[in-house]
Amino acid sequence: MFCFNAPRLREFWHTVAETFGWNTHTDVYGRRLVRILTTLRMKAISLDYLVVDPNRAVREKMIGILEEWRGTLVEAICSSISLTRQSVQALFADISGEINDSRQYVTWLVPVVSARVRKVGVLPVV
């Protein structure tokens, strides 16, 4: 989950996440993981978020990740939402520009889910 200052970047990112996730059956937010782990009868399930922002990470590293995504995801995004390849490329460039602007604050929340596997085949102590 990215949080941008520019409304059009926020709208683009949320549209991409929702539509791309829906069309590819991808849990882009990690929101179903707790339910899945509960169904699998895991124990000590925890959902936390890693905060990646310019105060905790190097801006160039954040931009590098987005550049990799741009290089690999543009075609899939274009087939999921009704934007041209050129428009999506430009929006990714604008996102990188916002991250690179020291006057801006961009936040990336990365879900981190953990759980323990129940011991299988162990008899309870009586």
Side-chain angles (χ1 to χ4, degrees):
M1 293 184 288
F2 269 100
C3 303
F4 300 105
N5 294 306
R8 65 189 179 80
L9 298 181
R10 282 196 309 267
E11 181 182 342
F12 166 69
W13 202 258
H14 288 287
T15 299
V16 165
E18 293 295 328
T19 307
F20 181 76
W22 180 262
N23 289 342
T24 60
H25 307 286
T26 303
D27 183 7
V28 295
Y29 296 116
R31 292 179 178 156
R32 293 187 296 233
L33 287 174
V34 171
R35 183 183 65 207
I36 291 167
L37 293 173
T38 302
T39 302
L40 293 172
R41 300 179 65 198
M42 297 286 194
K43 297 177 71 170
I45 299 168
S46 174
L47 172 61
D48 297 295
Y49 286 91
L50 173 67
V51 178
V52 180
D53 65 23
N55 293 336
R56 295 174 176 86
V58 178
R59 288 178 192 273
E60 291 78 18
K61 295 286 185 185
M62 292 175 72
I63 292 169
I65 291 168
L66 280 161
E67 291 299 314
E68 287 294 323
W69 288 355
R70 176 166 65 168
T72 57
L73 293 176
V74 167
E75 297 302 324
I77 290 169
C78 290
S79 67
S80 293
I81 62 176
S82 50
L83 285 177
T84 66
R85 186 179 207 291
Q86 184 178 6
S87 297
V88 174
Q89 291 276 14
L91 285 160
F92 266 95
D94 291 346
I95 288 169
S96 294
E98 186 164 306
I99 293 170
N100 199 39
D101 184 346
S102 62
R103 299 167 299 168
Q104 303 290 341
Y105 182 78
V106 176
T107 307
W108 179 18
L109 300 175
V110 181
V112 178
V113 180
S114 63
R116 286 190 318 202
V117 177
R118 289 180 345 132
K119 291 184 180 181
V120 180
V122 176
L123 297 174
V125 178
V126 216

